[in-house]
């Protein structure tokens, strides 16, 4: 399909991170390591307080040489 995708009724899509994470028990981040720190800082208030956060980032954050 070009420009259109049909999602199952149990799946929804949004560009709003707050809406996407509202009520979540687990947040899975699939961001490049170099973008993770900035994105998390920008959206930290969207993360549910008790949610488990799983990062799938590959590589090192060059600035600190940390995972």
């Amino acid at each position: 399909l070009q420009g259109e995708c049909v999602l199952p009724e149990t799946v929804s899509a949004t560009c709003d991170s707050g809406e996407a994470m509202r009520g979540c028990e687990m947040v899975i981040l699939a961001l490049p390591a170099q973008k993770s720190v900035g994105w998390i800082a920008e959206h930290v208030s969207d993360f549910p307080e008790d949610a488990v956060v799983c990062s799938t980032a590959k590589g090192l954050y060059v600035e600190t040489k940390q995972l």
Side-chain angles (χ1 to χ4, degrees), residues 5-58:
C5 182
V6 178
L7 298 174
E9 288 182 24
T10 56
V11 176
S12 62
T14 182
C15 292
D16 182 323
S17 61
E19 182 182 340
M21 290 191 271
R22 191 169 298 120
C24 287
E25 295 178 11
M26 177 180 280
V27 175
I28 299 174
L29 296 175
L31 302 168
Q34 297 310 301
K35 299 291 183 183
S36 295
V37 173
W39 191 92
I40 291 167
E42 185 177 332
H43 297 91
V44 69
S45 64
D46 294 335
F47 286 80
E49 187 176 312
D50 296 330
V52 173
V53 178
C54 174
S55 175
T56 64
K58 176 182 171 224

Side-chain angles (χ1 to χ4, degrees), residues 33-34 37 58-67:
Q34 297 310 301
V37 173
K58 176 182 171 224
L60 296 175
Y61 183 64
V62 174
E63 197 172 301
T64 61
K65 295 184 177 48
Q66 294 177 316
L67 296 176

